[in-house]
PDB file of all heavy atoms in Angstrom:
ATOM      1  N   SER A1151      -9.118 -11.521   0.476  1.00 94.00           N
ATOM      2  CA  SER A1151      -9.946 -12.718   0.593  1.00 94.00           C
ATOM      3  C   SER A1151     -10.238 -12.945   2.071  1.00 94.00           C
ATOM      4  O   SER A1151      -9.586 -12.360   2.950  1.00 94.00           O
ATOM      5  CB  SER A1151      -9.213 -13.929   0.016  1.00 94.00           C
ATOM      6  OG  SER A1151      -8.075 -14.239   0.810  1.00 94.00           O
ATOM      7  N   GLU A1152     -11.207 -13.811   2.361  1.00 93.00           N
ATOM      8  CA  GLU A1152     -11.477 -14.160   3.757  1.00 93.00           C
ATOM      9  C   GLU A1152     -10.242 -14.779   4.401  1.00 93.00           C
ATOM     10  O   GLU A1152      -9.939 -14.504   5.566  1.00 93.00           O
ATOM     11  CB  GLU A1152     -12.651 -15.136   3.843  1.00 93.00           C
ATOM     12  CG  GLU A1152     -14.001 -14.490   3.643  1.00 93.00           C
ATOM     13  CD  GLU A1152     -15.150 -15.472   3.842  1.00 93.00           C
ATOM     14  OE1 GLU A1152     -14.880 -16.663   4.099  1.00 93.00           O
ATOM     15  OE2 GLU A1152     -16.312 -15.042   3.750  1.00 93.00           O
ATOM     16  N   ALA A1153      -9.527 -15.583   3.639  1.00 94.00           N
ATOM     17  CA  ALA A1153      -8.332 -16.229   4.176  1.00 94.00           C
ATOM     18  C   ALA A1153      -7.262 -15.201   4.528  1.00 94.00           C
ATOM     19  O   ALA A1153      -6.582 -15.315   5.558  1.00 94.00           O
ATOM     20  CB  ALA A1153      -7.785 -17.236   3.169  1.00 94.00           C
ATOM     21  N   GLU A1154      -7.113 -14.181   3.684  1.00 95.00           N
ATOM     22  CA  GLU A1154      -6.116 -13.135   3.966  1.00 95.00           C
ATOM     23  C   GLU A1154      -6.475 -12.369   5.219  1.00 95.00           C
ATOM     24  O   GLU A1154      -5.611 -12.084   6.058  1.00 95.00           O
ATOM     25  CB  GLU A1154      -6.009 -12.193   2.765  1.00 95.00           C
ATOM     26  CG  GLU A1154      -5.289 -12.782   1.570  1.00 95.00           C
ATOM     27  CD  GLU A1154      -5.330 -11.875   0.366  1.00 95.00           C
ATOM     28  OE1 GLU A1154      -6.392 -11.280   0.088  1.00 95.00           O
ATOM     29  OE2 GLU A1154      -4.289 -11.749  -0.310  1.00 95.00           O
ATOM     30  N   PHE A1155      -7.735 -12.004   5.356  1.00 96.00           N
ATOM     31  CA  PHE A1155      -8.173 -11.343   6.584  1.00 96.00           C
ATOM     32  C   PHE A1155      -7.937 -12.246   7.786  1.00 96.00           C
ATOM     33  O   PHE A1155      -7.515 -11.798   8.854  1.00 96.00           O
ATOM     34  CB  PHE A1155      -9.653 -10.963   6.504  1.00 96.00           C
ATOM     35  CG  PHE A1155      -9.922  -9.619   5.901  1.00 96.00           C
ATOM     36  CD1 PHE A1155     -11.017  -9.430   5.071  1.00 96.00           C
ATOM     37  CD2 PHE A1155      -9.114  -8.530   6.182  1.00 96.00           C
ATOM     38  CE1 PHE A1155     -11.288  -8.185   4.512  1.00 96.00           C
ATOM     39  CE2 PHE A1155      -9.373  -7.275   5.636  1.00 96.00           C
ATOM     40  CZ  PHE A1155     -10.468  -7.114   4.801  1.00 96.00           C
ATOM     41  N   GLY A1156      -8.230 -13.525   7.618  1.00 95.00           N
ATOM     42  CA  GLY A1156      -8.041 -14.477   8.706  1.00 95.00           C
ATOM     43  C   GLY A1156      -6.602 -14.549   9.162  1.00 95.00           C
ATOM     44  O   GLY A1156      -6.315 -14.568  10.365  1.00 95.00           O
ATOM     45  N   ARG A1157      -5.680 -14.588   8.204  1.00 95.00           N
ATOM     46  CA  ARG A1157      -4.252 -14.620   8.559  1.00 95.00           C
ATOM     47  C   ARG A1157      -3.811 -13.309   9.205  1.00 95.00           C
ATOM     48  O   ARG A1157      -3.042 -13.306  10.175  1.00 95.00           O
ATOM     49  CB  ARG A1157      -3.409 -14.901   7.311  1.00 95.00           C
ATOM     50  CG  ARG A1157      -3.509 -16.339   6.808  1.00 95.00           C
ATOM     51  CD  ARG A1157      -2.431 -16.639   5.792  1.00 95.00           C
ATOM     52  NE  ARG A1157      -2.577 -15.832   4.582  1.00 95.00           N
ATOM     53  CZ  ARG A1157      -3.305 -16.178   3.529  1.00 95.00           C
ATOM     54  NH1 ARG A1157      -3.968 -17.335   3.538  1.00 95.00           N
ATOM     55  NH2 ARG A1157      -3.372 -15.407   2.460  1.00 95.00           N
ATOM     56  N   LEU A1158      -4.313 -12.202   8.662  1.00 95.00           N
ATOM     57  CA  LEU A1158      -3.901 -10.887   9.151  1.00 95.00           C
ATOM     58  C   LEU A1158      -4.378 -10.641  10.577  1.00 95.00           C
ATOM     59  O   LEU A1158      -3.667 -10.030  11.383  1.00 95.00           O
ATOM     60  CB  LEU A1158      -4.441  -9.798   8.213  1.00 95.00           C
ATOM     61  CG  LEU A1158      -3.942  -8.374   8.412  1.00 95.00           C
ATOM     62  CD1 LEU A1158      -2.431  -8.298   8.245  1.00 95.00           C
ATOM     63  CD2 LEU A1158      -4.623  -7.438   7.425  1.00 95.00           C
ATOM     64  N   TYR A1159      -5.574 -11.129  10.899  1.00 95.00           N
ATOM     65  CA  TYR A1159      -6.169 -10.854  12.211  1.00 95.00           C
ATOM     66  C   TYR A1159      -6.309 -12.102  13.078  1.00 95.00           C
ATOM     67  O   TYR A1159      -6.954 -12.049  14.130  1.00 95.00           O
ATOM     68  CB  TYR A1159      -7.526 -10.171  12.022  1.00 95.00           C
ATOM     69  CG  TYR A1159      -7.391  -8.786  11.431  1.00 95.00           C
ATOM     70  CD1 TYR A1159      -7.510  -8.592  10.054  1.00 95.00           C
ATOM     71  CD2 TYR A1159      -7.101  -7.688  12.230  1.00 95.00           C
ATOM     72  CE1 TYR A1159      -7.363  -7.328   9.493  1.00 95.00           C
ATOM     73  CE2 TYR A1159      -6.949  -6.430  11.694  1.00 95.00           C
ATOM     74  CZ  TYR A1159      -7.075  -6.252  10.324  1.00 95.00           C
ATOM     75  OH  TYR A1159      -6.922  -5.001   9.770  1.00 95.00           O
ATOM     76  N   THR A1160      -5.689 -13.179  12.651  1.00 94.00           N
ATOM     77  CA  THR A1160      -5.726 -14.447  13.403  1.00 94.00           C
ATOM     78  C   THR A1160      -7.157 -14.802  13.775  1.00 94.00           C
ATOM     79  O   THR A1160      -7.525 -14.928  14.949  1.00 94.00           O
ATOM     80  CB  THR A1160      -4.847 -14.351  14.679  1.00 94.00           C
ATOM     81  OG1 THR A1160      -3.621 -13.695  14.377  1.00 94.00           O
ATOM     82  CG2 THR A1160      -4.548 -15.728  15.217  1.00 94.00           C
ATOM     83  N   ALA A1161      -7.980 -14.946  12.763  1.00 94.00           N
ATOM     84  CA  ALA A1161      -9.398 -15.243  12.976  1.00 94.00           C
ATOM     85  C   ALA A1161      -9.868 -16.262  11.948  1.00 94.00           C
ATOM     86  O   ALA A1161      -9.318 -16.348  10.852  1.00 94.00           O
ATOM     87  CB  ALA A1161     -10.226 -13.968  12.872  1.00 94.00           C
ATOM     88  N   SER A1162     -10.891 -17.014  12.306  1.00 93.00           N
ATOM     89  CA  SER A1162     -11.467 -17.986  11.374  1.00 93.00           C
ATOM     90  C   SER A1162     -12.426 -17.278  10.422  1.00 93.00           C
ATOM     91  O   SER A1162     -12.775 -16.108  10.612  1.00 93.00           O
ATOM     92  CB  SER A1162     -12.200 -19.089  12.135  1.00 93.00           C
ATOM     93  OG  SER A1162     -13.264 -18.551  12.889  1.00 93.00           O
ATOM     94  N   ARG A1163     -12.885 -18.009   9.419  1.00 92.00           N
ATOM     95  CA  ARG A1163     -13.679 -17.389   8.364  1.00 92.00           C
ATOM     96  C   ARG A1163     -15.048 -16.896   8.827  1.00 92.00           C
ATOM     97  O   ARG A1163     -15.524 -15.862   8.349  1.00 92.00           O
ATOM     98  CB  ARG A1163     -13.853 -18.370   7.204  1.00 92.00           C
ATOM     99  CG  ARG A1163     -12.565 -18.633   6.448  1.00 92.00           C
ATOM    100  CD  ARG A1163     -12.808 -19.316   5.130  1.00 92.00           C
ATOM    101  NE  ARG A1163     -11.581 -19.381   4.344  1.00 92.00           N
ATOM    102  CZ  ARG A1163     -11.533 -19.721   3.066  1.00 92.00           C
ATOM    103  NH1 ARG A1163     -12.662 -20.036   2.432  1.00 92.00           N
ATOM    104  NH2 ARG A1163     -10.390 -19.761   2.416  1.00 92.00           N
ATOM    105  N   THR A1164     -15.663 -17.594   9.764  1.00 94.00           N
ATOM    106  CA  THR A1164     -17.008 -17.185  10.192  1.00 94.00           C
ATOM    107  C   THR A1164     -17.016 -15.808  10.860  1.00 94.00           C
ATOM    108  O   THR A1164     -17.807 -14.933  10.473  1.00 94.00           O
ATOM    109  CB  THR A1164     -17.630 -18.238  11.120  1.00 94.00           C
ATOM    110  OG1 THR A1164     -17.739 -19.480  10.410  1.00 94.00           O
ATOM    111  CG2 THR A1164     -19.004 -17.803  11.584  1.00 94.00           C
ATOM    112  N   PRO A1165     -16.157 -15.530  11.858  1.00 95.00           N
ATOM    113  CA  PRO A1165     -16.136 -14.168  12.412  1.00 95.00           C
ATOM    114  C   PRO A1165     -15.667 -13.121  11.411  1.00 95.00           C
ATOM    115  O   PRO A1165     -16.131 -11.977  11.441  1.00 95.00           O
ATOM    116  CB  PRO A1165     -15.176 -14.271  13.603  1.00 95.00           C
ATOM    117  CG  PRO A1165     -14.417 -15.528  13.412  1.00 95.00           C
ATOM    118  CD  PRO A1165     -15.306 -16.445  12.643  1.00 95.00           C
ATOM    119  N   VAL A1166     -14.743 -13.478  10.499  1.00 95.00           N
ATOM    120  CA  VAL A1166     -14.323 -12.535   9.458  1.00 95.00           C
ATOM    121  C   VAL A1166     -15.523 -12.155   8.601  1.00 95.00           C
ATOM    122  O   VAL A1166     -15.748 -10.977   8.298  1.00 95.00           O
ATOM    123  CB  VAL A1166     -13.206 -13.142   8.584  1.00 95.00           C
ATOM    124  CG1 VAL A1166     -13.040 -12.341   7.284  1.00 95.00           C
ATOM    125  CG2 VAL A1166     -11.889 -13.172   9.344  1.00 95.00           C
ATOM    126  N   ARG A1167     -16.308 -13.157   8.223  1.00 94.00           N
ATOM    127  CA  ARG A1167     -17.477 -12.916   7.373  1.00 94.00           C
ATOM    128  C   ARG A1167     -18.483 -11.998   8.071  1.00 94.00           C
ATOM    129  O   ARG A1167     -19.033 -11.077   7.462  1.00 94.00           O
ATOM    130  CB  ARG A1167     -18.119 -14.244   7.004  1.00 94.00           C
ATOM    131  CG  ARG A1167     -19.152 -14.172   5.890  1.00 94.00           C
ATOM    132  CD  ARG A1167     -19.646 -15.565   5.514  1.00 94.00           C
ATOM    133  NE  ARG A1167     -18.530 -16.384   5.044  1.00 94.00           N
ATOM    134  CZ  ARG A1167     -18.223 -17.569   5.548  1.00 94.00           C
ATOM    135  NH1 ARG A1167     -18.920 -18.062   6.557  1.00 94.00           N
ATOM    136  NH2 ARG A1167     -17.211 -18.268   5.063  1.00 94.00           N
ATOM    137  N   GLU A1168     -18.726 -12.239   9.354  1.00 95.00           N
ATOM    138  CA  GLU A1168     -19.690 -11.428  10.094  1.00 95.00           C
ATOM    139  C   GLU A1168     -19.184  -9.997  10.286  1.00 95.00           C
ATOM    140  O   GLU A1168     -19.943  -9.031  10.131  1.00 95.00           O
ATOM    141  CB  GLU A1168     -19.974 -12.067  11.453  1.00 95.00           C
ATOM    142  CG  GLU A1168     -20.897 -11.266  12.357  1.00 95.00           C
ATOM    143  CD  GLU A1168     -22.276 -11.018  11.765  1.00 95.00           C
ATOM    144  OE1 GLU A1168     -22.694 -11.789  10.875  1.00 95.00           O
ATOM    145  OE2 GLU A1168     -22.929 -10.052  12.200  1.00 95.00           O
ATOM    146  N   ALA A1169     -17.906  -9.843  10.615  1.00 96.00           N
ATOM    147  CA  ALA A1169     -17.337  -8.502  10.789  1.00 96.00           C
ATOM    148  C   ALA A1169     -17.408  -7.722   9.484  1.00 96.00           C
ATOM    149  O   ALA A1169     -17.744  -6.525   9.470  1.00 96.00           O
ATOM    150  CB  ALA A1169     -15.896  -8.597  11.278  1.00 96.00           C
ATOM    151  N   CYS A1170     -17.103  -8.381   8.381  1.00 96.00           N
ATOM    152  CA  CYS A1170     -17.127  -7.712   7.078  1.00 96.00           C
ATOM    153  C   CYS A1170     -18.544  -7.349   6.662  1.00 96.00           C
ATOM    154  O   CYS A1170     -18.766  -6.313   6.015  1.00 96.00           O
ATOM    155  CB  CYS A1170     -16.468  -8.590   6.019  1.00 96.00           C
ATOM    156  SG  CYS A1170     -14.672  -8.683   6.176  1.00 96.00           S
ATOM    157  N   ARG A1171     -19.505  -8.189   7.037  1.00 95.00           N
ATOM    158  CA  ARG A1171     -20.901  -7.875   6.745  1.00 95.00           C
ATOM    159  C   ARG A1171     -21.314  -6.590   7.446  1.00 95.00           C
ATOM    160  O   ARG A1171     -21.975  -5.719   6.854  1.00 95.00           O
ATOM    161  CB  ARG A1171     -21.803  -9.021   7.187  1.00 95.00           C
ATOM    162  CG  ARG A1171     -23.278  -8.831   6.811  1.00 95.00           C
ATOM    163  CD  ARG A1171     -24.155  -9.836   7.525  1.00 95.00           C
ATOM    164  NE  ARG A1171     -24.133  -9.650   8.973  1.00 95.00           N
ATOM    165  CZ  ARG A1171     -24.828  -8.690   9.606  1.00 95.00           C
ATOM    166  NH1 ARG A1171     -25.567  -7.838   8.915  1.00 95.00           N
ATOM    167  NH2 ARG A1171     -24.763  -8.603  10.916  1.00 95.00           N
ATOM    168  N   ARG A1172     -20.902  -6.420   8.692  1.00 96.00           N
ATOM    169  CA  ARG A1172     -21.216  -5.194   9.437  1.00 96.00           C
ATOM    170  C   ARG A1172     -20.522  -3.985   8.843  1.00 96.00           C
ATOM    171  O   ARG A1172     -21.099  -2.902   8.737  1.00 96.00           O
ATOM    172  CB  ARG A1172     -20.826  -5.377  10.917  1.00 96.00           C
ATOM    173  CG  ARG A1172     -21.696  -6.394  11.633  1.00 96.00           C
ATOM    174  CD  ARG A1172     -21.165  -6.760  13.003  1.00 96.00           C
ATOM    175  NE  ARG A1172     -21.122  -5.634  13.914  1.00 96.00           N
ATOM    176  CZ  ARG A1172     -20.750  -5.722  15.198  1.00 96.00           C
ATOM    177  NH1 ARG A1172     -20.399  -6.919  15.691  1.00 96.00           N
ATOM    178  NH2 ARG A1172     -20.747  -4.673  15.973  1.00 96.00           N
ATOM    179  N   LEU A1173     -19.287  -4.176   8.411  1.00 97.00           N
ATOM    180  CA  LEU A1173     -18.539  -3.064   7.828  1.00 97.00           C
ATOM    181  C   LEU A1173     -19.070  -2.691   6.454  1.00 97.00           C
ATOM    182  O   LEU A1173     -18.996  -1.525   6.061  1.00 97.00           O
ATOM    183  CB  LEU A1173     -17.055  -3.433   7.753  1.00 97.00           C
ATOM    184  CG  LEU A1173     -16.367  -3.534   9.116  1.00 97.00           C
ATOM    185  CD1 LEU A1173     -15.036  -4.262   8.997  1.00 97.00           C
ATOM    186  CD2 LEU A1173     -16.160  -2.147   9.714  1.00 97.00           C
ATOM    187  N   GLU A1174     -19.618  -3.649   5.739  1.00 96.00           N
ATOM    188  CA  GLU A1174     -20.263  -3.323   4.463  1.00 96.00           C
ATOM    189  C   GLU A1174     -21.474  -2.430   4.712  1.00 96.00           C
ATOM    190  O   GLU A1174     -21.710  -1.462   3.976  1.00 96.00           O
ATOM    191  CB  GLU A1174     -20.694  -4.591   3.737  1.00 96.00           C
ATOM    192  CG  GLU A1174     -21.324  -4.287   2.378  1.00 96.00           C
ATOM    193  CD  GLU A1174     -22.205  -5.407   1.848  1.00 96.00           C
ATOM    194  OE1 GLU A1174     -22.703  -6.198   2.661  1.00 96.00           O
ATOM    195  OE2 GLU A1174     -22.403  -5.466   0.621  1.00 96.00           O
ATOM    196  N   HIS A1175     -22.245  -2.749   5.738  1.00 95.00           N
ATOM    197  CA  HIS A1175     -23.422  -1.950   6.091  1.00 95.00           C
ATOM    198  C   HIS A1175     -23.022  -0.509   6.406  1.00 95.00           C
ATOM    199  O   HIS A1175     -23.794   0.419   6.149  1.00 95.00           O
ATOM    200  CB  HIS A1175     -24.125  -2.583   7.288  1.00 95.00           C
ATOM    201  CG  HIS A1175     -25.354  -1.845   7.722  1.00 95.00           C
ATOM    202  ND1 HIS A1175     -26.531  -1.830   6.994  1.00 95.00           N
ATOM    203  CD2 HIS A1175     -25.594  -1.065   8.824  1.00 95.00           C
ATOM    204  CE1 HIS A1175     -27.420  -1.092   7.609  1.00 95.00           C
ATOM    205  NE2 HIS A1175     -26.886  -0.623   8.723  1.00 95.00           N
ATOM    206  N   GLU A1176     -21.829  -0.310   6.932  1.00 95.00           N
ATOM    207  CA  GLU A1176     -21.355   1.027   7.281  1.00 95.00           C
ATOM    208  C   GLU A1176     -20.670   1.728   6.108  1.00 95.00           C
ATOM    209  O   GLU A1176     -20.227   2.860   6.243  1.00 95.00           O
ATOM    210  CB  GLU A1176     -20.388   0.942   8.468  1.00 95.00           C
ATOM    211  CG  GLU A1176     -21.048   0.462   9.743  1.00 95.00           C
ATOM    212  CD  GLU A1176     -20.067   0.371  10.900  1.00 95.00           C
ATOM    213  OE1 GLU A1176     -18.936   0.903  10.784  1.00 95.00           O
ATOM    214  OE2 GLU A1176     -20.413  -0.237  11.923  1.00 95.00           O
ATOM    215  N   GLY A1177     -20.561   1.045   4.980  1.00 94.00           N
ATOM    216  CA  GLY A1177     -19.947   1.657   3.807  1.00 94.00           C
ATOM    217  C   GLY A1177     -18.436   1.644   3.818  1.00 94.00           C
ATOM    218  O   GLY A1177     -17.802   2.388   3.059  1.00 94.00           O
ATOM    219  N   LEU A1178     -17.826   0.782   4.642  1.00 96.00           N
ATOM    220  CA  LEU A1178     -16.371   0.751   4.755  1.00 96.00           C
ATOM    221  C   LEU A1178     -15.741  -0.410   3.987  1.00 96.00           C
ATOM    222  O   LEU A1178     -14.538  -0.390   3.705  1.00 96.00           O
ATOM    223  CB  LEU A1178     -15.958   0.675   6.231  1.00 96.00           C
ATOM    224  CG  LEU A1178     -16.383   1.877   7.083  1.00 96.00           C
ATOM    225  CD1 LEU A1178     -16.010   1.644   8.543  1.00 96.00           C
ATOM    226  CD2 LEU A1178     -15.750   3.169   6.577  1.00 96.00           C
ATOM    227  N   ILE A1179     -16.535  -1.404   3.672  1.00 96.00           N
ATOM    228  CA  ILE A1179     -16.058  -2.561   2.912  1.00 96.00           C
ATOM    229  C   ILE A1179     -17.081  -2.877   1.821  1.00 96.00           C
ATOM    230  O   ILE A1179     -18.280  -2.669   2.008  1.00 96.00           O
ATOM    231  CB  ILE A1179     -15.868  -3.792   3.838  1.00 96.00           C
ATOM    232  CG1 ILE A1179     -14.451  -3.794   4.434  1.00 96.00           C
ATOM    233  CG2 ILE A1179     -16.115  -5.104   3.110  1.00 96.00           C
ATOM    234  CD1 ILE A1179     -14.162  -4.981   5.320  1.00 96.00           C
ATOM    235  N   ARG A1180     -16.582  -3.336   0.689  1.00 95.00           N
ATOM    236  CA  ARG A1180     -17.462  -3.820  -0.375  1.00 95.00           C
ATOM    237  C   ARG A1180     -17.259  -5.322  -0.527  1.00 95.00           C
ATOM    238  O   ARG A1180     -16.120  -5.790  -0.548  1.00 95.00           O
ATOM    239  CB  ARG A1180     -17.156  -3.113  -1.703  1.00 95.00           C
ATOM    240  CG  ARG A1180     -17.473  -1.623  -1.672  1.00 95.00           C
ATOM    241  CD  ARG A1180     -17.196  -0.971  -3.009  1.00 95.00           C
ATOM    242  NE  ARG A1180     -17.444   0.463  -2.960  1.00 95.00           N
ATOM    243  CZ  ARG A1180     -17.206   1.289  -3.973  1.00 95.00           C
ATOM    244  NH1 ARG A1180     -16.711   0.813  -5.123  1.00 95.00           N
ATOM    245  NH2 ARG A1180     -17.456   2.585  -3.857  1.00 95.00           N
ATOM    246  N   ILE A1181     -18.360  -6.043  -0.606  1.00 93.00           N
ATOM    247  CA  ILE A1181     -18.283  -7.485  -0.805  1.00 93.00           C
ATOM    248  C   ILE A1181     -18.260  -7.773  -2.306  1.00 93.00           C
ATOM    249  O   ILE A1181     -19.092  -7.273  -3.060  1.00 93.00           O
ATOM    250  CB  ILE A1181     -19.476  -8.192  -0.143  1.00 93.00           C
ATOM    251  CG1 ILE A1181     -19.419  -7.999   1.381  1.00 93.00           C
ATOM    252  CG2 ILE A1181     -19.486  -9.677  -0.492  1.00 93.00           C
ATOM    253  CD1 ILE A1181     -20.597  -8.604   2.127  1.00 93.00           C
ATOM    254  N   ILE A1182     -17.271  -8.547  -2.724  1.00 92.00           N
ATOM    255  CA  ILE A1182     -17.137  -8.933  -4.128  1.00 92.00           C
ATOM    256  C   ILE A1182     -17.565 -10.398  -4.234  1.00 92.00           C
ATOM    257  O   ILE A1182     -16.839 -11.284  -3.765  1.00 92.00           O
ATOM    258  CB  ILE A1182     -15.691  -8.768  -4.618  1.00 92.00           C
ATOM    259  CG1 ILE A1182     -15.186  -7.350  -4.311  1.00 92.00           C
ATOM    260  CG2 ILE A1182     -15.588  -9.058  -6.108  1.00 92.00           C
ATOM    261  CD1 ILE A1182     -13.705  -7.157  -4.583  1.00 92.00           C
ATOM    262  N   PRO A1183     -18.728 -10.670  -4.809  1.00 89.00           N
ATOM    263  CA  PRO A1183     -19.231 -12.049  -4.854  1.00 89.00           C
ATOM    264  C   PRO A1183     -18.218 -13.030  -5.445  1.00 89.00           C
ATOM    265  O   PRO A1183     -17.596 -12.750  -6.475  1.00 89.00           O
ATOM    266  CB  PRO A1183     -20.477 -11.937  -5.748  1.00 89.00           C
ATOM    267  CG  PRO A1183     -20.922 -10.514  -5.573  1.00 89.00           C
ATOM    268  CD  PRO A1183     -19.656  -9.724  -5.429  1.00 89.00           C
ATOM    269  N   PHE A1184     -18.028 -14.142  -4.732  1.00 84.00           N
ATOM    270  CA  PHE A1184     -17.162 -15.250  -5.152  1.00 84.00           C
ATOM    271  C   PHE A1184     -15.666 -14.878  -5.163  1.00 84.00           C
ATOM    272  O   PHE A1184     -14.842 -15.674  -5.582  1.00 84.00           O
ATOM    273  CB  PHE A1184     -17.557 -15.779  -6.541  1.00 84.00           C
ATOM    274  CG  PHE A1184     -19.017 -16.088  -6.662  1.00 84.00           C
ATOM    275  CD1 PHE A1184     -19.838 -15.310  -7.464  1.00 84.00           C
ATOM    276  CD2 PHE A1184     -19.581 -17.139  -5.947  1.00 84.00           C
ATOM    277  CE1 PHE A1184     -21.195 -15.588  -7.568  1.00 84.00           C
ATOM    278  CE2 PHE A1184     -20.943 -17.422  -6.047  1.00 84.00           C
ATOM    279  CZ  PHE A1184     -21.749 -16.644  -6.865  1.00 84.00           C
TER     280      PHE A1184
END
């Protein structure tokens, strides 16, 4: 979840969301709606 990533990397949800969006574009992460 965004919260899990946030805890793991000490980051808020907005930068987590943006980083994951970039990684999805590279084929390294899949976004699961909701």
Side-chain angles (χ1 to χ4, degrees):
S1151 67
E1152 284 184 358
E1154 286 174 318
F1155 272 142
R1157 288 193 296 271
L1158 190 60
Y1159 293 95
T1160 317
S1162 61
R1163 291 194 172 192
T1164 299
V1166 164
R1167 193 175 300 126
E1168 176 60 23
C1170 287
R1171 185 192 64 78
R1172 292 170 62 177
L1173 291 164
E1174 182 201 24
H1175 181 71
E1176 295 179 13
L1178 298 176
I1179 271 182
R1180 294 182 183 176
I1181 296 177
I1182 307 172
F1184 309 111

